[in-house]
Amino acid sequence: RIRTPTVAQEKTGRQSSVPPWVFASFLAMPDGVGGGYPGQSNTSNFRSLQYPIDLKPSDFSAWIASQECTDSLAEALEMANSRIREYVKKKLDLEKALKERGAKKEHNEEEQVAQEGESPESPKKGVGENIRSIIQEIEQGKIDGIQLTRKNITQGEAKALAEAMVANAKKSTIKTIELYGNEFGNEGVMAFSEVIANENSAVEELDLGRCGMTDLGAFALAEALKKNKTVRELVIGGNTGITARGSRAIAKALGTNSCITSLRVNDGVLDRDGASHLAKALRTNSALKAIYLGFNQMMGKSAADIARALRKNRSLEVVNLSYCDINDDTVNEIALALQENKETALMMIDLSGNNITDAGAERLVQALNESKNQTILDINLRGCSVSSCSDKRVR
């Protein structure tokens, strides 16, 4: 091992702990460093360098102790550190993206099933991509459900399906319409709104999630809901084109609708004003049993309006507010609702993925204990900044 001190070592009085082969490894990197020792196997890589060093192997020991070698190694190390920092940043960004994707998958299980479609091993009646054959079955009254999740249905195809259902409404037995992920827009939404507005409609489940709906479609759907007496489950999540105006129309319809028991308005539909409109409806609605509002980060402080509505609501059993940028202040409003509403039906509250701390968690425990609540089974705080909790129901 060569122990000849460099200029820098003479000044500091310290011997280098880096053996010569490490110097040579860094300085012979194939992507080039400003200066370096050209090994036999990759000499051609250094011909393009501005200041290549041409040394014989016998001169290596003298050159390795030079200041130029020290400077070259420093440059090589800086390049390596830069790459490491870049790699770490990419790794952290990827882990964050995977965590959010995993959380979304975990907290929207029913939506995930809809997106994946039905398994070939267990087909359901009504599944099919051939629109004409489905229309024929509708006309013959031989179909009890439309399951066409993510099938790239066009606006024309959507309207054709809806018109066939309206024309054959008296003999129709269709109870399920699942059209999640088909970007047929407002025209398609308005067509299916006519289906459920028909007095002979038997539809109980309507999934229009991520279909390109904006306020115009929301207005038509809201009017249909005022007339409908059969729909129990409604999905409009993922339609980010709906603004506060559209949300207000849907909320007003919920004020008079006494049939819908499950509502999904998740994935970026609600902003601050939209959440406030929905909160007003929840104060008086007595039919809804489950509401899923996850991943509405834009609702901001209006999440507290939803929480305050729980003081009055007596029908909701499941409330999902996961990943809605909720903090301990909103948690305090939920705690007050648990304390004040003696007739609450709440069983499960999902607050996962929010900015909730140990203080917020203990506030919930305090509310449960003081109110002697017997209905709550689970308050989900996974993905929050909560280390531990004294009540097993709050986790």
Side-chain angles (χ1 to χ4, degrees), residues 99 326-328 351-362 380-389 395:
K99 181 179 178 181
I326 288 173
N327 56 26
D328 288 346
L351 300 174
S352 57
N354 285 299
N355 302 317
I356 300 171
T357 68
D358 286 332
E362 288 304 321
N380 189 348
L381 297 180
R382 292 175 184 170
C384 300
S385 301
V386 176
S387 57
S388 62
C389 199
R395 58 183 180 86

Side-chain angles (χ1 to χ4, degrees), residues 277-330:
H277 293 315
L278 183 58
K280 292 178 182 178
L282 294 179
R283 294 192 189 103
T284 58
N285 183 285
S286 59
L288 274 172
K289 294 184 179 299
I291 187 165
Y292 302 88
L293 307 176
F295 293 88
N296 279 304
Q297 292 93 340
M298 297 302 293
M299 69 166 63
K301 294 183 179 179
S302 289
D305 293 337
I306 300 289
R308 282 188 282 270
L310 299 179
R311 300 186 193 183
K312 302 291 184 182
N313 187 283
R314 291 184 251 179
S315 64
L316 280 172
E317 298 174 358
V318 177
V319 174
N320 187 319
L321 287 167
S322 60
Y323 293 86
C324 288
D325 201 23
I326 288 173
N327 56 26
D328 288 346
D329 292 336
T330 301

Side-chain angles (χ1 to χ4, degrees), residues 5 10 18 23-24 34 42 57 65 73 83 124 131 170 178 184 186-187 217 234 270 276 299 309 317 328 335 381:
E10 291 176 350
V18 183
F23 282 69
N42 57 4
L73 177 59
R83 288 176 182 170
K124 288 185 178 180
I131 300 296
K170 288 186 178 181
E178 297 180 5
F184 43 65
N186 290 324
E187 291 293 328
L234 176 64
L270 295 176
S276 293
M299 69 166 63
E317 298 174 358
D328 288 346
L381 297 180

Side-chain angles (χ1 to χ4, degrees), residues 162-275:
E163 289 169 0
M165 281 186 261
V166 171
N168 298 275
K170 288 186 178 181
K171 57 182 177 182
S172 176
T173 58
I174 296 176
K175 294 184 178 181
T176 302
I177 301 177
E178 297 180 5
L179 298 170
Y180 185 97
N182 292 289
E183 297 283 341
F184 43 65
N186 290 324
E187 291 293 328
V189 173
M190 289 188 282
F192 285 105
S193 295
E194 292 184 17
V195 172
I196 66 169
N198 190 287
E199 61 181 0
N200 295 306
S201 173
V203 177
E204 296 180 0
E205 299 177 25
L206 178 60
D207 187 343
L208 294 174
R210 290 192 188 278
C211 65
M213 185 191 316
T214 65
D215 288 343
L216 187 60
F219 295 153
L221 180 60
E223 289 301 313
L225 291 175
K226 292 177 183 178
K227 302 175 183 178
N228 180 270
K229 304 295 182 184
T230 61
V231 174
R232 301 286 183 269
E233 298 182 24
L234 176 64
V235 179
I236 58 173
N239 289 299
T240 56
I242 298 177
T243 70
R245 295 176 62 206
S247 298
R248 181 181 181 184
I250 297 293
K252 281 190 173 183
L254 291 174
T256 58
N257 184 288
S258 59
C259 298
I260 296 177
T261 59
S262 176
L263 176 66
R264 286 185 179 272
V265 195
N266 54 319
D267 288 351
V269 176
L270 295 176
D271 59 10
R272 182 174 297 185
D273 292 334

Side-chain angles (χ1 to χ4, degrees), residues 125-186:
K125 189 175 182 181
V127 175
E129 296 184 41
N130 190 319
I131 300 296
R132 289 186 179 181
S133 65
I134 294 176
I135 291 176
Q136 288 177 356
E137 291 185 357
I138 292 173
E139 293 172 345
Q140 297 168 8
K142 295 181 178 180
I143 189 169
D144 58 11
I146 305 290
Q147 288 93 21
L148 294 171
T149 299
R150 293 188 181 277
K151 297 297 183 181
N152 296 317
I153 295 176
T154 65
Q155 184 182 105
E157 290 170 336
K159 292 176 69 174
L161 282 173
E163 289 169 0
M165 281 186 261
V166 171
N168 298 275
K170 288 186 178 181
K171 57 182 177 182
S172 176
T173 58
I174 296 176
K175 294 184 178 181
T176 302
I177 301 177
E178 297 180 5
L179 298 170
Y180 185 97
N182 292 289
E183 297 283 341
F184 43 65
N186 290 324

